[in-house]
Amino acid sequence: MKRLIITIDGPSGAGKTTVSKILADHLGYRYIDTGALYRGVALKAMASGLNPDDDTGLETVLSSLKMEFLYGEKGLRLISNNSDITDKIRTPEISMFASAASARPVVRNFLLDLQRDLGREKGVVFEGRDMGTVVFPDADVKFYLDASHKTRSLRRYQELKSETSQTLQNVEKDIKRRDKNDSARDLAPLRPAKDAVIIDSTHFSAQDVVDRMVNVIENKIIVVF
Ligand code: DC
């Protein structure tokens, strides 16, 4: 059967990562977390002492940055210049830096080619903010996953609880700021593609959402072939 490119966009905390992993497993596809790439850029830029709007500094950092994904026993790992950075990129500081730096054309252009390369062999579930609108406008099936602000904040808080001392209020504030950054930027703002299927996950489990997606994919495949 034809291998597809499936995109899942949406704001942070909507459940994209959980759902993308289950869906990719179900289909026997690879799963790519494109937010991790923006976080990888942020980690390197912060280590160089840059501000997220320092385009010249970012350009220099990017010129010597090589990132790739590996699939190991511990799942998807992000390798940056030969070092596994997967466990270093989930801090609130990196989230905020990644969101700010992701508005810079120099960063988006650098990651555009990399993401398209990762989709060359098809059979991939891509999660991000602009997968269906900019990176893969011809994707076979596009989803936009959303949830209420309260639910998304709670989910993110549960995720972070064991690693940081963030309060729920702080997480809510961070998510609001990131939503604003990610949606208000000029370049590839967060929004559903015209042909995306929009799913609100507020009252549904990850498995319910995946079941709905599988249904959409199967129907599309029947229509297309
Ligand atoms: O999905 P995430 O929270 O790990 O992403 C971190 C930041 O990266 C997010 O705030 C915005 C940016 N991002 C983006 O601009 N485009 C993507 N396709 C993925 C992430």
Side-chain angles (χ1 to χ4, degrees), residues 2-73:
K2 185 186 168 196
R3 290 171 71 74
L4 311 172
I5 296 259
I6 295 173
T7 60
I8 304 183
D9 290 309
S12 57
K16 298 189 301 292
T17 304
T18 312
V19 161
S20 302
K21 279 183 188 159
I22 305 175
L23 181 65
D25 266 0
H26 175 89
L27 297 169
Y29 282 13
R30 280 179 303 140
Y31 147 70
I32 303 277
D33 168 10
T34 61
L37 297 171
Y38 286 88
R39 289 169 182 274
V41 169
L43 182 73
K44 181 97 195 289
M46 283 167 80
S48 307
L50 298 183
N51 286 322
D53 59 353
D54 178 352
D55 289 337
T56 312
L58 286 168
E59 210 162 346
T60 307
V61 158
L62 294 174
S63 68
S64 64
L65 179 60
K66 189 175 178 302
M67 290 189 287
E68 59 187 328
F69 285 109
L70 288 184
Y71 297 83
E73 274 171 19

Side-chain angles (χ1 to χ4, degrees), residues 116-128:
R116 286 191 175 149
D117 264 0
L118 291 167
R120 200 147 285 162
E121 287 170 33
K122 308 267 183 153
V124 192
V125 176
F126 280 95
E127 71 140 301

Side-chain angles (χ1 to χ4, degrees), residues 12 34-35 38-39 90 98-99 102 108 115 128-131 156 178 182 185:
S12 57
T34 61
Y38 286 88
R39 289 169 182 274
R90 299 282 152 201
S99 180
S102 71
R108 296 210 82 81
Q115 292 168 105
R129 301 291 190 289
D130 63 339
M131 295 295 103
R156 185 59 91 218
R178 279 219 285 152
D182 297 347
R185 67 181 177 224

Side-chain angles (χ1 to χ4, degrees), residues 8-18 20 35 39 99 127-130 143-153 155-156 159 174-183 185 189-192 198-202:
I8 304 183
D9 290 309
S12 57
K16 298 189 301 292
T17 304
T18 312
S20 302
R39 289 169 182 274
S99 180
E127 71 140 301
R129 301 291 190 289
D130 63 339
F143 295 101
Y144 186 88
L145 193 58
D146 209 345
S148 70
H149 179 256
K150 194 103 215 149
T151 301
R152 293 192 288 114
S153 303
R155 284 179 187 159
R156 185 59 91 218
E159 258 173 39
D174 276 7
I175 286 211
K176 248 195 195 127
R177 261 178 71 196
R178 279 219 285 152
D179 279 359
K180 193 157 166 250
N181 280 351
D182 297 347
S183 313
R185 67 181 177 224
L190 170 65
R191 61 177 168 78
I198 299 176
I199 300 178
D200 187 327
S201 73
T202 306

Side-chain angles (χ1 to χ4, degrees), residues 93-165:
E93 294 76 21
I94 290 196
S95 298
M96 215 46 86
F97 194 109
S99 180
S102 71
R104 314 307 297 178
V106 60
V107 172
R108 296 210 82 81
N109 288 337
F110 173 78
L111 292 181
L112 186 62
D113 294 341
L114 179 53
Q115 292 168 105
R116 286 191 175 149
D117 264 0
L118 291 167
R120 200 147 285 162
E121 287 170 33
K122 308 267 183 153
V124 192
V125 176
F126 280 95
E127 71 140 301
R129 301 291 190 289
D130 63 339
M131 295 295 103
T133 49
V134 175
V135 182
F136 297 108
D138 298 326
D140 300 282
V141 189
K142 301 177 186 178
F143 295 101
Y144 186 88
L145 193 58
D146 209 345
S148 70
H149 179 256
K150 194 103 215 149
T151 301
R152 293 192 288 114
S153 303
L154 254 175
R155 284 179 187 159
R156 185 59 91 218
Y157 173 67
Q158 303 288 3
E159 258 173 39
L160 289 171
K161 212 164 59 177
S162 58
E163 295 156 31
T164 70
S165 54

